[in-house]
């Protein structure tokens, strides 16, 4: 069975899960979040008020790193900003990479975090940057941040630049809803 026909099960993760489970366990029941006790359970959870929504490292097996990358096994794409590398991952195994990238210049940094692929556009042109071509765009972060074919000799305005061949492969492989981790 091919990657595009495989159904994926995505674990419910993040601060909302931790808060809901803490409340449910603390009261011995599920669905406590509407109860006054839910606030007490959440307040007693270390880091519950300060954990950034959508960028919480999962616990247990889900926090296992993919060998050779800074990302966890839940990622389908991984970006290492410090080393200008990216990977495609399937079922916790690298299927392409490390490939060279460039990313956002100072003042236009590529945002770190955990995101999901929002849309794809093979022949996208940037309305913000004078109709500049952004071939094989895979949009994953707010503000129009995407993987796309671009120069590997200069930094971007926030996107992740890939070579032509790598951009085509990322475009063909990544699907709407796939997890992208930028570290």
């Amino acid at each position: 069975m091919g990657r595009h026909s495989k159904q994926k099960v995505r674990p419910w993760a993040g601060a909302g899960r931790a808060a809901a489970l803490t409340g449910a366990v603390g009261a011995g029941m599920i669905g406590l979040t509407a109860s006054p006790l839910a606030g007490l359970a959440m307040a007693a959870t270390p880091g519950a008020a300060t954990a950034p929504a959508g960028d919480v490292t999962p616990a247990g097996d889900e926090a296992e790193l993919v060998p050779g990358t800074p990302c966890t096994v839940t990622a389908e794409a991984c970006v290492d900003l410090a080393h200008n590398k990216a990977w495609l991952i399937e079922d916790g195994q690298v299927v392409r990479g490390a490939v060279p990238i460039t990313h956002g210049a100072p003042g236009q940094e590529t945002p770190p975090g955990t995101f999901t692929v929002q849309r794809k556009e093979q022949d996208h042109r940037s309305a913000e940057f004078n109709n500049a071509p952004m071939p094989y765009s895979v949009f994953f972060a707010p503000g129009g941040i995407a993987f796309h074919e671009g120069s590997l000799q200069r930094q971007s305005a926030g996107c992740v630049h890939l070579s032509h061949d790598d951009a085509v492969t990322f475009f063909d492989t990544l699907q709407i809803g796939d997890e992208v981790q930028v570290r």
Side-chain angles (χ1 to χ4, degrees), residues 105-179:
Q108 299 177 310
E109 287 86 0
T110 304
T114 298
F115 307 96
T116 57
V117 172
Q118 300 299 307
R119 67 185 174 98
K120 297 168 42 171
E121 193 173 333
Q122 186 171 345
D123 297 312
H124 183 75
R125 292 198 165 265
S126 172
E128 186 177 352
F129 293 99
N130 234 6
N131 212 27
M134 295 172 53
Y136 303 100
S137 289
V138 178
F139 294 91
F140 63 86
I145 305 298
F147 292 108
H148 66 84
E149 180 181 340
S151 172
L152 295 178
Q153 275 65 60
R154 63 178 174 81
Q155 293 177 301
S156 73
C159 288
V160 176
H161 285 174
L162 298 162
S163 71
H164 171 78
D165 289 346
D166 292 330
V168 169
T169 302
F170 273 58
F171 184 86
D172 288 345
T173 303
L174 292 172
Q175 301 301 306
I176 306 300
D178 280 355
E179 185 172 293

Side-chain angles (χ1 to χ4, degrees), residues 15 18-27 32 36-50:
L21 291 177
T22 301
V25 171
L32 180 62
L37 293 176
L40 293 175
M42 286 173 52
T45 304
T50 59

Side-chain angles (χ1 to χ4, degrees), residues 66 71-78 88-92 179-181:
V66 174
C71 298
T72 67
V73 296
T74 60
E76 276 82 29
C78 175
L88 286 173
I89 299 166
E90 186 173 334
D91 298 324
E179 185 172 293
V180 176
Q181 294 178 16

Side-chain angles (χ1 to χ4, degrees), residues 56-90:
V56 177
T57 301
D61 292 336
E62 294 172 328
E64 180 183 346
L65 293 180
V66 174
T69 78
C71 298
T72 67
V73 296
T74 60
E76 276 82 29
C78 175
V79 177
D80 183 343
L81 297 173
H83 297 100
N84 294 315
K85 295 179 182 180
W87 297 261
L88 286 173
I89 299 166
E90 186 173 334

